[in-house]
Amino acid sequence: MAEMTPEQQQAMAIAAARLRLSRTQQTQQPSAVDPAAAAPPQTGEELRARIYADLAAKRGATQKQPAVDRYGLPADDALSVARTGVGGLIEGIPIAGPIIRGGTERAAAATLAAFSDETYNQVMDRIHAANSAEKAANPKVDKGAQITGAVAGTIPAVMAAPALFGAGGGSLLVRSGISGVTGATIGGADAGVRSGGDPEKIWEGIKLGGLFGLGGPLAGKVIGAGARSLVDALRTRAAARMAGMDPQAFGYFRRAVTDDGLDASTLPRRLMEMGSEAIPADLGPNLQKQAGALAATPGAAQTTIRTTLADRAAGANARIGQTIDETTGRNVVPSEIQADIAANQNAHSPLYREAFREATPYNTEPIASALEADISRLRGPAQTRLRQVRGMLNIADSNVLSTDPNVMFQTRQAIDGLLKTEVDPKVISALVEARQMLDDGLTRAVPRIKEVDAGYAELARQDEAVTRGQQVLDSGRTAPRPSELAAEVEHGVQPQGMQIGPSAVPLRLSQGARAEIDRIVGTNSNDIVAMNRLIKGEGDWNRARLATLFGPEKAERLFKVLDNERMYADTANTVTRNSETAARMAAQNELGGGAGGNFGVKEAFKAGGFLGAARSAAIDKVDDIVKALMSGETGNATRESLARALIGEQREKLVEGLIRAQGMGTTPALVDPVVKALLMNAGAARTR
């Protein structure tokens, strides 16, 4: 046999000592041995110990044996401590722990007895004696392990059925009662299992379990609040570092963001929706109130807030003008367009003269007879107008009808002039009928006149469209309804008469509307709110009408920019107005003139009974922050850090900080179950 190493010799010596101790204890009288010393420890290696003992006896161990305790175990036996801890963890589990450990020990005893000359009962006695010895040798380990096992074994039940442990709905009293009943049930059942059904132990377990269970919800609330505060403080510091902010300033900013209904995901999205010039101070009243407090407090933060708002306001008209140009086209002057149209109409005169060279005399007697019949029938203005037209058909200064097609043409032109200013429907009807008869006669007398008429009429329609376009944004009776404007555009694009190709009427309508927008902007350049109201209108009509003329996407973009600029202006007005008011109040208080005059809008808003109390708490919370920002207790560095956040510097870092701060204000998930588990098991004898 190969020479044994010192470690093997030492192990053999220890095993032999354990075996000799075990055999000696089986032969001694119980009365002659100290019970504490007679209880052998559980070795877990009985078969190997016997083999090593025989080998050691034959070879004769000559090396010095290590120090052992009275059970034959090394004084610093790590295995003994580990066995005590594992056993305590299992045994500490409420109700099921003793059953699990007992089953494990019985299985081990049956296995050892099968491979040894000892009976099952002898092995079980030695296992129990060894367990008792190890517990006595490691009392703190055993106690800690049993408490840990008790808590770990109860936590899953608390999390699976929180209502049974006082974490459901209802008042604190109701939840405490439910928790007390659950604690009494668990305490009684656990005591029954561990005591073998002893009624006194069961009753004691019920009483103690119910008592500690009764205090579970209250203790969980108190301890949870403390844990929440501690965790929130740590999270705030970590999130503030990530956001590049002073921790106190970040706490103010995060609270305002939360109170305004925002979070790490909605804040950047809202800023993007409001345009590139948007800042966090635009997003809600709480953020605006903080900005107002900083704008009223002398220092770098005040300069940061006021300068940012002033610079942004100075560029409002340029941004609006650029958007209008991009969505509605370049600006035009209606009078210039109409002057160009008139010049183009005058250019048709040579074309008319060329057409009339081919004209032939025309008998206007049928036209004159028809007019005279209408004159004899009509009365009032319509009769007067037709007499005027009938006289135009005569040769100048005579009662003789002219056969010259030029006379017919000039009469038709005169009727067009009368129709431009006429409002009487009967007169208009009579003049239109007379014009149609003259037009038919001209077509027969001058074959090419309709070609020239088509070009002239197109220019006339464009001239009318420019004027009509300037009425699109009106709110009076002259403004077209959205459906009417859509019909006008659809009809206007169709070619009239002998015209070839689409008409430019829709273009002229949009140019007229564009000119009106420019007029509104020019006359309200210092009043973004008024500009917004005039262009957008009170309802949805202007949106629909501009969508008809310029397209839905461009109209929506224009309206979005106008909305954004209005919100920018509102922020500036709110912050500067509130800051000036706050500054005046601070000065009054400093000079002693503000005492007794604190009842105002806030107090009137608070005066609302039960609901008013809730509103009061919310208002006071914001006011406390505002007062802190304006007081000397809050440092300049904190105010400046908050000011930079409110104007949107390093937006990406702000969002990262808000993401890191998510979950603040909530109790850590395991705090409540752990507290309840501790209390549920606090009354058990094994954990006391």
Side-chain angles (χ1 to χ4, degrees):
M1 180 180 297
E3 186 70 22
M4 288 189 297
T5 64
E7 290 79 4
Q8 290 176 330
Q9 294 176 357
Q10 179 179 349
M12 290 175 56
I14 295 173
R18 288 175 175 170
L19 184 59
R20 287 195 301 273
L21 178 61
S22 175
R23 290 175 177 174
T24 302
Q25 289 172 341
Q26 291 179 13
T27 58
Q28 288 179 336
Q29 295 297 327
S31 59
V33 180
D34 184 2
Q42 179 184 358
T43 65
E45 301 174 349
E46 186 63 22
L47 294 177
R48 190 175 65 180
R50 291 185 178 183
I51 295 173
Y52 280 163
D54 293 340
L55 292 175
K58 292 179 180 179
R59 296 178 60 87
T62 59
Q63 296 183 355
K64 183 180 179 180
Q65 301 298 318
V68 296
D69 59 19
R70 57 180 175 172
Y71 303 106
L73 294 173
D76 58 347
D77 191 356
L79 183 60
S80 172
V81 174
R83 283 195 299 267
T84 303
V86 173
L89 282 173
I90 297 174
E91 188 176 347
I93 298 174
I95 303 174
I99 299 174
I100 295 173
R101 181 163 189 178
T104 303
E105 292 175 348
R106 285 191 293 274
T111 302
L112 292 173
F115 291 95
S116 68
D117 56 358
E118 292 181 305
T119 65
Y120 170 81
N121 290 333
Q122 288 176 328
V123 175
M124 282 297 299
D125 289 342
R126 286 195 300 103
I127 290 176
H128 290 159
N131 288 344
S132 300
E134 287 186 333
K135 287 184 179 182
N138 307 290
K140 294 182 179 179
V141 173
D142 180 58
K143 181 68 68 176
Q146 295 228 25
I147 294 175
T148 303
V151 174
T154 308
I155 288 177
V158 176
M159 298 182 70
L164 294 178
F165 295 86
S171 64
L172 179 63
L173 181 62
V174 172
R175 291 187 287 112
S176 297
I178 295 173
S179 178
V181 172
T182 304
T185 303
I186 293 175
D190 184 69
V193 170
R194 296 178 189 277
S195 66
D198 186 344
E200 292 185 1
K201 296 293 184 181
I202 294 175
W203 175 240
E204 182 181 3
I206 292 174
K207 288 189 295 182
L208 293 176
L211 177 63
F212 284 100
L214 192 66
L218 178 60
K221 184 176 181 180
V222 174
I223 297 174
R228 182 170 61 249
S229 299
L230 177 60
V231 172
D232 282 355
L234 296 175
R235 284 178 176 171
T236 297
R237 288 192 171 276
R241 284 196 303 270
M242 187 167 291
M245 292 182 64
D246 174 86
Q248 187 175 8
F250 179 79
Y252 291 152
F253 179 75
R254 189 200 64 81
R255 182 180 297 178
V257 168
T258 302
D259 292 344
D260 283 332
L262 303 169
D263 56 27
S265 61
T266 56
L267 184 139
R269 186 172 69 247
R270 286 281 307 280
L271 288 175
M272 184 178 298
E273 291 172 354
M274 291 182 65
S276 60
E277 298 295 324
I279 60 177
D282 295 317
L283 302 182
N286 292 282
L287 291 164
Q288 288 181 354
K289 203 162 188 179
Q290 289 185 0
L294 295 175
T297 307
Q302 181 187 63
T303 303
T304 299
I305 295 292
R306 288 183 173 271
T307 301
T308 299
L309 295 178
D311 291 345
R312 186 173 67 174
N317 289 333
R319 291 191 297 271
I320 293 174
Q322 180 181 355
T323 303
I324 291 174
D325 288 342
E326 292 173 353
T327 55
T328 63
R330 66 179 182 85
N331 183 38
V332 295
V333 180
S335 60
E336 294 177 357
I337 295 176
Q338 291 175 320
D340 290 340
I341 292 174
N344 290 331
Q345 286 179 318
N346 292 333
H348 280 68
S349 296
L351 300 177
Y352 276 112
R353 287 195 296 270
E354 184 67 25
F356 272 92
R357 288 177 184 176
E358 301 176 3
T360 58
Y362 187 79
N363 182 14
T364 58
E365 181 64 32
I367 298 175
S369 298
L371 290 175
E372 289 171 356
D374 288 340
I375 290 170
S376 64
R377 177 175 54 83
L378 295 173
R379 296 293 183 272
Q383 184 186 58
T384 302
R385 287 299 188 191
L386 285 185
R387 279 177 179 169
Q388 185 179 359
V389 171
R390 171 62 186 81
M392 294 178 187
L393 294 176
N394 292 335
I395 298 173
D397 299 329
S398 72
N399 291 325
V400 179
L401 278 173
S402 173
T403 59
D404 185 358
N406 278 293
V407 173
M408 296 171 61
F409 177 75
Q410 294 299 327
T411 303
R412 191 186 70 173
Q413 296 291 88
I415 292 175
D416 288 339
L418 294 174
L419 287 172
K420 287 183 178 181
T421 58
E422 188 57 62
V423 294
D424 190 326
K426 289 186 177 182
V427 176
I428 293 174
S429 177
L431 290 175
V432 168
E433 186 177 353
R435 187 189 188 284
Q436 185 61 50
M437 289 188 292
L438 291 170
D439 191 67
D440 292 342
L442 280 170
T443 302
R444 289 188 289 270
V446 187
R448 293 181 54 196
I449 194 171
K450 299 308 293 182
E451 297 177 12
V452 183
D453 278 347
Y456 190 92
E458 166 64 15
L459 293 172
R461 293 174 65 206
Q462 292 182 25
D463 183 77
E464 293 175 359
V466 172
T467 302
R468 182 62 163 165
Q470 296 176 73
Q471 299 172 346
V472 166
L473 299 180
D474 288 351
S475 58
R477 293 183 178 180
T478 59
R481 290 174 171 78
S483 59
E484 293 173 336
L485 180 63
E488 289 180 20
V489 171
E490 183 178 358
H491 176 73
V493 76
Q494 303 300 325
Q496 302 297 312
M498 298 185 68
Q499 179 188 353
I500 300 174
S503 172
V505 167
L507 172 63
R508 300 305 185 187
L509 284 169
S510 63
Q511 287 179 327
R514 172 65 177 87
E516 180 62 12
I517 291 174
D518 183 69
R519 186 194 67 80
I520 293 174
V521 172
T523 56
N524 296 277
S525 59
N526 294 324
D527 192 344
I528 301 297
V529 176
M531 182 192 306
N532 193 291
R533 183 182 67 253
L534 292 171
I535 295 178
K536 292 182 59 180
E538 296 297 332
D540 292 331
W541 278 20
N542 281 5
R543 183 187 297 270
R545 290 185 287 211
L546 291 179
T548 297
L549 295 178
F550 304 105
E553 292 183 1
K554 291 183 177 180
E556 186 62 30
R557 181 184 171 194
L558 173 60
F559 276 47
K560 185 62 179 176
V561 169
L562 290 172
D563 277 338
N564 291 343
E565 292 297 338
R566 177 186 56 78
M567 286 187 282
Y568 298 165
D570 287 345
T571 297
N573 291 335
T574 300
V575 169
T576 55
R577 182 176 66 250
N578 287 350
S579 64
E580 295 296 342
T581 302
R584 286 194 296 270
M585 292 178 63
Q588 289 175 354
N589 292 332
E590 184 178 3
L591 297 174
N598 293 330
F599 188 90
V601 177
K602 182 180 72 174
E603 283 68 23
F605 181 72
K606 287 181 179 181
F610 179 78
L611 294 178
R615 291 193 298 265
S616 171
I619 294 174
D620 286 342
K621 183 173 66 173
V622 179
D623 284 349
D624 289 343
I625 295 177
V626 171
K627 291 176 182 177
L629 291 174
M630 298 181 66
S631 69
E633 297 176 1
T634 300
N636 289 329
T638 298
R639 285 192 285 266
E640 175 61 13
S641 178
L642 179 59
R644 290 196 301 270
L646 290 171
I647 66 171
E649 284 190 5
Q650 297 181 323
R651 296 185 184 184
E652 294 78 9
K653 286 190 174 182
L654 285 177
V655 173
E656 291 174 0
L658 291 174
I659 293 174
R660 183 66 178 269
Q662 286 178 344
M664 289 181 61
T666 59
T667 303
L670 286 177
V671 169
D672 195 52
V674 169
V675 171
K676 288 183 172 60
L678 281 170
L679 288 176
M680 287 289 180
N681 295 279
R686 68 190 185 284
T687 60
R688 291 202 297 270

